[in-house]
Amino acid sequence: MKLTKKSNKGKLLILALLPLILLIVSLCIGRYYVNPQTTFSLLLSNFIPVESIWEPIEELIILKVRLPRVLMALIIGAGLSVSGTAFQSIFGNPLVSPHVLGVSAGAGFGAALGILLSSNVFVIQIMALAFGIGAVMITYLISKRKKASTLFMLVLSGVITGAFFTALISLIKYVADPDDKLPEIVYWLMGSLTGTSINDVIISSPFIIGGMIILVLLRWKINILSLSEEEARSLGIDITKYRLIIIGASTVITAVSVALCGIVGWIGLVIPHVGRMIVGNDHKVLIPASIFLGGFYLLLIDNMSRILTSAEIPLSILTAVIGAPFFAYLLRKTGGRWA
Amino acid sequence: MKFGVVDGTFGYYKNPILFENVNFTIEKSEILTILGPNGVGKTTFLKCMMGFLKWNKGETIIDGKSFYSMSTSDIWKKISYVPQAKATIFPYSVMEMVLMGRNPHLGVLSMPSNQDQKLCEWALEELNIIKLKGKIVSELSGGELQMVLIARALVSEPYILILDEPESNLDIKNQLVILNIIQKLSEEKNITCIINTHYPAHALKISDKTIMFSNNTHHIYGNTKDIVNESNIRKFFEVDSRILELVENKKRLRTIFPIRICKS
């Protein structure tokens, strides 16, 4: 299949429009429907004076409830997806996800411990963040031998750290009060964006977007990093330095995401492959494509989560239940030979 | 542009020394072949020479300067490496693959320009593989992929090209294609080439100088015509052979015919 540069630019443009359109749609729909015109005026009223044509309740729903949640879904989906793409490349392995170095198990443990000890959301988020980043540091220390750290060692160390923290999560569930704390922990671990406030968006987005900007800036180098170690070095790449930067950026993105909305699986593993099917393997295009697709996908899933049933379905369930059949269809259709 | 190794000595941790005090210097546009039986560490030698592995003793020298005193990007602007062709995990297009060769000339945040694109097309044309331009590397044959990797090495505009068994696993036509390209690059572009090969006949065909390694850390170095002879092939490869000469188009060609395995 031939992929010319022009067609890829067109594809990127369409992919960029998808989340924007969905953003407007998402603000309108829900248990309380608001028509698009009102939604538009409300959004505009933040920047320029607009004649008020809306009810106060509509203003509350759109600006205070839906907007933060919709933005958060876009940002987290984009972040998880682009981290997954970068990880798959630098580990030279299409089966890894951002969780491979133990960040999610660590953050999950931090959150579970936080829920057990306190009911303050801020405490829970900080503990999730600290343990998530701490877990990746432990992984890195385990893998480090004689100043160098091979990818194979890194992945195995990630498996070890992940298993350790997963066991600790089980321990906390085992001792948690089954009437009160246990359901809270279980629900949290499965991922949810319920109750996202504009403050969450303001505090977290600089970290996630910052990480994404680093990956976008280095996107062409990520091509070279996916080659074998010596090939990459012979092309003049300081692989140790670049790997650290990319692992650091992805870890911050993932840890902050888990701290905010729990562990959302699937996106970081599968959305990169959907991107490869659409735009090919050149990370110069694939990295932006992953951002658009990831944001679009998590927003779509979160809409379903809040609209399908009266009790919200956790995100991790939906990402896979909706995504698995779709991905199976794509895989069958392309025979796995995408791009 | 002079390139060489001084007192190159290496052995993997806790294992016996693989090679000891290797010294060589080659000049602009010379071709050096590295010969030896399987398992003597020919590839390891290349890796040490390029700094992928650290010499236990000795150093690699380029124009009188030690590799240890040069930055990575300085080194890889001067030399270029062609690994053995094998499938990549993510199938890039030929153009994307060749463009990666421009990296030593690009800054941390910069990306290949149209100029770089043109240079890649030039390299593909130079190697007669422009027809592969739009293909995906996973669709290529072994010989085609090896040519693409050579194109990638060429676009960094190197003075020295280092190839790791570029013609192994190829049929006889593709072997000739690769050997002819190496000769052409050395003659027309004055590129110094260092190749690692299993075939003494290929050393006779294209190289000026040869290093031959044996299993007992012993090695010899010199002009190819002095090194690749019947007695050294017996000593280093344990094979009785005859050097044959024939004249074709008024050119004297030499090759080597292996006769039998000799008892050591």
Side-chain angles (χ1 to χ4, degrees):
Chain A
M1 212 188 302
K2 276 188 186 176
L3 291 167
T4 60
K5 243 188 146 183
K6 257 185 192 148
S7 73
N8 264 345
K9 267 187 190 154
K11 282 175 190 170
L12 264 191
L13 193 68
I14 295 170
L15 289 180
L17 285 176
L18 282 178
L20 276 180
I21 296 166
L22 187 63
L23 179 131
I24 303 296
V25 174
S26 310
L27 289 174
C28 299
I29 57 174
R31 224 152 307 142
Y32 187 102
Y33 174 77
V34 183
N35 68 49
Q37 199 194 345
T38 316
T39 307
F40 255 124
S41 330
L42 265 165
L43 285 179
L44 276 182
S45 72
N46 279 320
F47 307 103
I48 49 169
V50 180
E51 191 191 345
S52 169
I53 50 161
W54 54 81
E55 317 260 332
I57 179 83
E58 288 176 329
E59 179 171 356
L60 183 74
I61 287 173
I62 297 289
L63 294 183
K64 291 277 175 339
V65 180
R66 283 184 195 159
L67 187 62
R69 182 168 177 163
V70 163
L71 287 178
M72 206 72 262
L74 279 177
I75 294 169
I76 288 177
L80 289 175
S81 162
V82 75
S83 309
T85 306
F87 264 29
Q88 287 174 2
S89 167
I90 65 165
F91 286 101
N93 184 341
L95 295 177
V96 306
S97 72
H99 311 300
V100 73
L101 298 183
V103 57
S104 304
F109 168 72
L113 192 64
I115 293 170
L116 195 70
L117 301 176
S118 146
S119 46
N120 184 329
V121 179
F122 190 65
V123 171
I124 296 170
Q125 290 182 346
I126 288 291
M127 288 196 61
L129 192 63
F131 275 91
I133 290 172
V136 174
M137 285 178 172
I138 292 172
T139 299
Y140 189 73
L141 287 179
I142 296 174
S143 74
K144 210 173 155 196
R145 287 174 77 236
K146 286 197 277 178
K147 287 183 188 168
S149 167
T150 66
L151 287 180
F152 176 71
M153 285 287 288
L154 204 54
V155 171
L156 266 187
S157 311
V159 170
I160 294 169
T161 315
F164 180 73
F165 280 109
T166 308
L168 288 185
I169 292 176
S170 296
L171 180 69
I172 290 193
K173 284 185 190 164
Y174 184 67
V175 298
D177 180 350
D179 297 323
D180 171 19
K181 298 282 185 184
L182 183 58
E184 203 183 325
I185 293 173
V186 170
Y187 188 74
W188 193 91
L189 286 175
M190 289 192 290
S192 167
L193 282 163
T194 315
T196 305
S197 73
I198 199 72
N199 270 338
D200 290 331
V201 180
I202 290 168
I203 294 170
S204 66
S205 54
F207 295 101
I208 299 181
I209 292 174
M212 290 200 287
I213 289 174
I214 290 173
L215 297 179
V216 167
L217 288 175
L218 296 178
R219 66 191 187 279
W220 186 70
K221 304 279 181 196
I222 292 176
N223 279 345
I224 300 176
L225 286 162
S226 78
L227 302 176
S228 73
E229 191 159 330
E230 278 152 10
E231 259 179 296
R233 281 174 69 179
S234 81
L235 294 170
I237 288 266
D238 183 344
I239 46 171
T240 316
K241 191 174 77 188
Y242 278 99
R243 273 182 195 157
L244 264 181
I245 295 172
I246 289 169
I247 289 172
S250 302
T251 299
V252 169
I253 293 174
T254 315
V256 173
S257 300
V258 177
L260 281 163
C261 73
I263 299 172
V264 180
W266 184 265
I267 289 183
L269 176 66
V270 169
I271 298 298
H273 291 294
V274 177
R276 288 178 214 284
M277 290 181 194
I278 299 174
V279 300
N281 281 296
D282 185 0
H283 291 79
K284 205 173 141 187
V285 190
L286 180 59
I287 288 283
S290 303
I291 289 179
F292 301 139
L293 280 168
F296 173 79
Y297 188 68
L298 186 58
L299 182 52
L300 187 74
I301 293 299
D302 187 51
N303 286 344
M304 290 181 177
S305 159
R306 65 188 169 94
I307 292 163
L308 284 182
T309 56
S310 56
E312 290 202 3
I313 308 169
L315 293 175
S316 268
I317 297 177
L318 281 177
T319 49
V321 166
I322 309 287
F326 173 66
F327 190 60
Y329 163 75
L330 279 183
L331 202 56
R332 292 280 307 165
K333 207 181 147 201
T334 60
R337 286 189 303 274
W338 39 85
Chain B
M1 181 63 53
K2 274 189 186 175
F3 182 84
V5 168
V6 177
D7 290 339
T9 303
F10 183 81
Y12 284 104
Y13 181 65
K14 276 184 183 168
N15 289 329
I17 293 283
L18 273 173
F19 33 81
E20 212 169 0
N21 294 325
V22 183
N23 286 285
F24 75 85
T25 311
I26 46 174
E27 310 274 342
K28 192 164 98 178
S29 82
E30 280 187 319
I31 299 176
L32 169 77
T33 47
I34 296 163
L35 280 176
N38 283 333
V40 292
K42 295 191 296 293
T43 301
T44 308
F45 182 72
L46 284 192
K47 286 183 183 176
C48 292
M49 204 167 71
M50 291 182 286
F52 297 155
L53 292 168
K54 203 165 178 278
W55 294 112
N56 295 5
K57 198 187 103 192
E59 55 191 347
T60 309
I61 308 269
I62 191 164
D63 267 348
K65 264 166 82 184
S66 167
F67 258 34
Y68 295 129
S69 70
M70 295 168 73
S71 74
T72 359
S73 71
D74 267 354
I75 292 174
W76 297 107
K77 270 178 204 166
K78 296 201 165 86
I79 67 179
S80 214
Y81 168 57
V82 181
Q84 288 185 43
K86 57 172 195 254
T88 53
I89 292 139
F90 299 109
Y92 296 105
S93 77
V94 168
M95 202 59 185
E96 285 155 13
M97 197 70 166
V98 176
L99 272 171
M100 294 184 204
R102 285 302 291 161
N103 188 60
H105 295 275
L106 298 173
V108 174
L109 300 180
S110 50
M111 277 177 225
S113 63
N114 284 341
Q115 200 78 36
D116 296 316
Q117 199 105 11
K118 287 216 181 78
L119 194 67
C120 292
E121 282 169 13
W122 165 84
L124 292 175
E125 263 167 32
E126 197 72 12
L127 300 180
N128 261 324
I129 49 168
I130 192 75
K131 61 178 187 300
L132 303 179
K133 189 184 157 191
K135 287 211 179 180
I136 303 289
V137 289
S138 54
E139 298 168 345
L140 305 181
S141 71
E144 288 171 332
L145 182 55
Q146 192 70 63
M147 292 296 275
V148 168
L149 295 181
I150 294 177
R152 186 180 72 188
L154 281 184
V155 296
S156 71
E157 304 173 301
Y159 299 99
I160 296 149
L161 199 59
I162 298 173
L163 305 99
D164 188 10
E165 296 182 6
E167 84 293 34
S168 55
N169 306 319
L170 299 184
D171 62 38
I172 50 170
K173 181 189 167 192
N174 277 314
Q175 289 188 352
L176 274 180
V177 169
I178 301 279
L179 294 175
N180 290 344
I181 284 292
I182 294 170
Q183 263 182 317
K184 183 180 151 188
L185 292 172
S186 122
E187 279 163 20
E188 292 175 13
K189 313 269 175 240
N190 289 325
I191 296 176
T192 306
C193 297
I194 298 175
I195 83 163
N196 208 347
T197 181
H198 281 303
Y199 306 102
H202 293 170
L204 280 176
K205 184 174 161 55
I206 63 167
S207 71
D208 304 295
K209 290 181 174 166
T210 296
I211 302 177
M212 205 184 274
F213 286 107
S214 81
N215 280 316
N216 50 8
T217 76
H218 182 57
H219 76 274
I220 45 174
Y221 162 65
N223 291 326
T224 303
K225 59 180 192 307
D226 305 326
I227 297 290
V228 183
N229 58 32
E230 290 162 13
S231 102
N232 281 335
I233 296 292
R234 187 175 309 120
K235 252 190 271 173
F236 284 75
F237 288 87
E238 295 170 2
V239 167
D240 275 330
S241 64
R242 294 286 171 275
I243 303 270
L244 306 172
E245 276 194 18
L246 62 154
V247 176
E248 176 73 36
N249 270 344
K250 291 175 190 157
K251 266 174 80 184
R252 275 169 52 146
L253 305 174
R254 295 170 82 221
T255 188
I256 190 160
F257 188 87
I259 297 178
R260 70 179 81 81
I261 297 167
C262 63
K263 304 275 182 292
S264 48

